[in-house]
């Protein structure tokens, strides 16, 4: 099974995030990618391929040009005179219906950024672009005939929308992949199995009748991203019916999780998609530091088997998962279950 990974993804190195007003350690650390890559090598998957310059184009096709300009240039422009240089956090957020774009970059810090967990550091843009390029290249391989491809994306992407970013995500890797698959023709189902609702991915899909988005996740009434992911969100306008959210209560055990996933997968198949994109998060793991679900390592093998049983050409995009010690094992179990 082909794997796509870019070493420059590791250049994103957030020193800290802000939680309840105080500096706090981030969970999206470089070791996450190191562990996932080690598991890939140990299990003999490959080849491990790097994306090329030609894989960046869908980023501009799907994201707001002004947000991309901000992500690409804001760190350098804000740090031109500050010593020591600091990662950018927002201070001011636009009220609903008031979203003008100030000329002063300081005022733009909260224009696209939705939270205090997603700082913009010196190499964040380069890493986010590399991460999205991995998803893009993986989609190119799927279009080229591969059955299953794994995009080792870090930073993750499913909390980034067309013109917003947050939740450790800057660019939406799954949406980038989806765009490439759509360009080749045929509909796409995005199955999001991260612990959190993919509010960015839903924003890309909700008005599009050709892209189905389904997710099972922690009830957003109780956890991030709080403002989307409820069961009554079913798509907008022409996209009515192409969103399916199955929120689950805190501490959901593995059996209930797997039963719900089976129902969600059946919904995906009812859409009769040509391609499948799976947003893979291991923060559903029983020991995850920010999750509360009870999925075990063996559970990921069951999930892999379920995905394989759908019989669709499948692109796996890495999202969250923060329990380092078992991250590699959990990926290995998923890929073993997939049988590719
Ligand atoms: N107490 C992904 O898994 N808030 N993003 C964490 C922890 C943000 C997670 C708060 C969680 C974002 C891709
Ligand atoms: Zn998550």
């Amino acid at each position: 099974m082909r794997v796509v990974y870019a070493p420059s993804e590791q250049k994103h190195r957030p020193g800290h995030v802000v939680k309840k007003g105080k500096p706090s350690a981030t969970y999206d650390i470089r070791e996450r990618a190191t562990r996932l890559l080690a598991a890939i090598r140990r299990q003999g998957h490959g080849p491990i391929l790097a994306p090329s310059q030609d894989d960046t184009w869908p980023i501009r096709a799907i994201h707001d040009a002004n947000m991309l300009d901000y992500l690409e240039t804001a760190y350098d422009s804000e740090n031109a005179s500050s010593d020591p240089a600091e990662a950018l956090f927002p201070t001011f957020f636009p009220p609903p219906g008031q979203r003008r774009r100030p000329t002063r970059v300081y005022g733009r810090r909260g224009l696209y950024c939705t939270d205090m967990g997603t700082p913009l550091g010196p190499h964040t843009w380069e890493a986010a672009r590399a991460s999205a390029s991995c998803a893009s290249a993986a989609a190119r391989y799927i279009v080229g005939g591969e059955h299953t491809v794994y995009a080792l994306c870090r930073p993750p992407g499913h909390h980034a929308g067309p013109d917003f970013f947050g939740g450790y995500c800057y660019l939406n890797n799954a949406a980038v992949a989806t765009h490439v698959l759509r360009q080749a023709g045929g509909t796409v189902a995005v199955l999001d199995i991260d612990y959190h609702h993919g509010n960015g991915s839903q924003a890309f899909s909700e008005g599009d009748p050709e892209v189905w988005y389904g997710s099972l996740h922690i009830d957003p009434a109780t956890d991030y991203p709080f403002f989307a992911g409820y069961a009554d969100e079913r798509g907008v306008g022409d996209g009515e019916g192409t969103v399916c959210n199955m929120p689950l209560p805190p501490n959901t055990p593995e059996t209930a999780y797997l039963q719900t996933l089976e129902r969600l997968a059946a919904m995906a198949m009812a859409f009769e998609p040509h391609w499948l994109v799976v947003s893979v998060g291991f923060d559903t793991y029983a020991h995850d530091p920010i999750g509360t679900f009870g999925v075990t390592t063996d559970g990921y093998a069951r999930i892999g088997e379920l995905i394989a049983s759908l019989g669709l050409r499948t692109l796996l995009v890495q999202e969250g998962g923060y329990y380092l010690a078992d991250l590699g094992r959990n990926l290995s179990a998923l890929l073993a279950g997939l049988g590719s």
Side-chain angles (χ1 to χ4, degrees), residues 158-159 194-196 281 283 290 319-322:
H158 74 153
H159 299 305
D194 187 275
Y195 178 74
H196 304 94
D283 38 9
I290 65 175
E319 303 284 358
Y322 308 99

Side-chain angles (χ1 to χ4, degrees), residues 16-314:
H16 71 283
V17 298
V18 175
K19 200 161 144 185
K20 298 182 180 175
K22 295 190 176 68
S24 171
T26 181
Y27 288 101
D28 183 28
I29 54 175
R30 281 148 39 110
E31 283 76 4
R32 293 185 58 244
T34 311
R35 299 271 182 163
L36 294 166
L37 193 61
I40 294 281
R41 294 213 166 99
R42 199 180 320 120
Q43 214 177 354
H45 290 293
I48 300 171
L49 303 155
S52 82
Q53 276 301 319
D54 296 340
D55 292 310
T56 61
W57 66 268
I59 297 170
R60 299 207 171 270
I62 69 164
H63 282 290
D64 178 79
N66 287 325
M67 182 176 90
L68 296 177
D69 175 69
Y70 175 82
L71 287 171
E72 184 166 7
T73 64
Y75 178 87
D76 286 337
S77 74
E78 287 284 78
N79 280 286
S81 58
S82 81
D83 183 33
E86 281 178 13
L88 271 47
F89 285 90
T91 302
F92 310 101
F93 296 98
Q98 298 181 349
R99 221 173 162 209
R100 299 296 295 269
R101 180 169 168 265
T103 49
R104 188 175 162 196
V105 175
Y106 181 62
R108 288 181 193 164
R109 289 182 180 206
L111 180 56
Y112 312 106
C113 185
T114 61
D115 60 40
M116 305 294 277
T118 319
L120 188 58
H123 306 294
T124 300
W125 164 252
E126 190 184 349
R129 187 183 50 190
S131 185
S133 300
C134 288
S136 172
R140 180 162 54 75
Y141 293 131
I142 293 279
V143 170
E146 293 295 315
H147 189 274
T148 312
V149 181
Y150 173 66
L152 205 175
C153 296
R154 179 190 170 269
H158 74 153
H159 299 305
D163 62 353
F164 63 87
F165 66 92
Y168 315 153
C169 306
Y170 302 86
L171 301 172
N172 194 306
N173 308 315
V176 159
T178 297
H179 183 80
V180 174
L181 297 173
R182 286 282 306 126
Q183 291 296 111
T187 55
V188 180
V190 180
L191 183 61
D192 192 328
I193 61 171
D194 187 275
Y195 178 74
H196 304 94
H197 175 252
N199 55 328
S201 300
Q202 176 170 306
F204 277 104
S205 157
E206 64 191 357
D208 186 346
E210 309 295 316
V211 178
W212 182 90
Y213 174 80
S215 177
L216 73 173
H217 49 263
I218 182 66
D219 184 349
T222 73
D223 207 337
Y224 194 87
F226 291 112
F227 310 113
Y230 296 81
D232 62 359
E233 295 158 21
R234 303 196 63 256
V236 176
D238 289 347
E240 186 73 45
T242 64
V243 168
C244 183
N245 287 321
M246 297 190 178
L248 297 166
N251 307 308
T252 293
E254 178 168 84
T255 45
Y257 182 90
L258 293 175
Q259 281 165 11
T260 307
L261 181 57
E262 279 180 34
R263 286 200 296 126
L264 188 64
M267 296 288 293
M269 293 310 284
F271 180 70
E272 299 183 353
H274 284 71
W275 319 96
L276 179 65
V277 172
V278 183
S279 270
V280 178
F282 295 109
D283 38 9
T284 51
Y285 187 49
H287 300 302
D288 193 89
I290 65 175
T292 67
F293 291 172
V295 179
T296 64
T297 299
D298 186 60
Y300 291 111
R302 302 286 86 74
I303 292 170
E305 288 166 9
L306 174 61
I307 294 168
S309 77
L310 304 178
L312 296 167
R313 308 256 290 277
T314 301

